[in-house]
Amino acid sequence: MKASRDYLEEALSKIGDCSDAEKARQMKFSPQAMSFYRSGERKMDDFACIMVARVLGLDPMEIIAACQEEREKSEERREFWKDFRKTLGVQVVASLTLGAMTMTAAPEAKASSNNPLKPPMTNVYYV
């Protein structure tokens, strides 16, 4: 699983070629905070996690959970966040799979309704 800094670095590279100060400004946090997050001196707060998630097009909870896991002092709580992240990952994969199946099924359904060998039913008779 990714570390919180990995998400931040990915977001910063996605923003493109501009200064770190400009990247921080675009993400709505101070250059100093970004420096602390990148160095690992501090973990991102929830707001920073949400801004990173927006840039990456991810569920913010994925990044928030990564930060929570890293900041926990209790092994039991770290395990909780690790398990939570796994569960969250499974849900994301299931959603993506369902979405992909829906998108691939739609053209087939449309094609079958326009099948010239099987004319559409236009007449209905009541007895």
Side-chain angles (χ1 to χ4, degrees), residues 5 13 15 25-26 36 39 47 53-54 74 78 92 99 101 106 113 115 118 121 126:
R5 285 192 320 199
S13 68
I15 289 174
R25 189 171 27 261
Q26 287 183 30
F36 287 147
S39 70
F47 179 81
R54 282 185 173 180
S74 158
R78 265 195 308 276
V92 169
M101 288 173 34
S113 66
N115 185 344
K118 185 177 179 185
M121 187 167 92
Y126 294 96

Side-chain angles (χ1 to χ4, degrees), residues 2 4 11-12 20 27 30 33 37 40 51 57 59 62-63 66 72 74-76 88 91-92 97 101 107 115-116:
K2 284 185 182 182
S4 61
L12 294 174
D20 281 354
M27 295 179 71
S30 72
Y37 299 152
M51 297 310 289
D59 179 351
E62 184 177 337
I63 303 169
E72 282 297 343
S74 158
E75 183 61 34
E76 183 180 357
L88 188 63
Q91 291 171 350
V92 169
T97 302
M101 288 173 34
N115 185 344

Side-chain angles (χ1 to χ4, degrees), residues 3-5 33 36-46 48-49 66-72:
S4 61
R5 285 192 320 199
F36 287 147
Y37 299 152
R38 290 181 91 178
S39 70
E41 191 172 329
R42 288 189 193 161
K43 299 298 176 202
M44 290 185 286
D45 60 16
D46 291 350
C49 291
C67 286
Q68 289 292 84
E69 179 185 346
E70 293 166 6
R71 110 176 16 106
E72 282 297 343

Side-chain angles (χ1 to χ4, degrees), residues 18-26 29-31 34:
C18 58
S19 69
D20 281 354
E22 177 59 26
K23 290 177 183 181
R25 189 171 27 261
Q26 287 183 30
F29 45 82
S30 72
M34 187 171 71

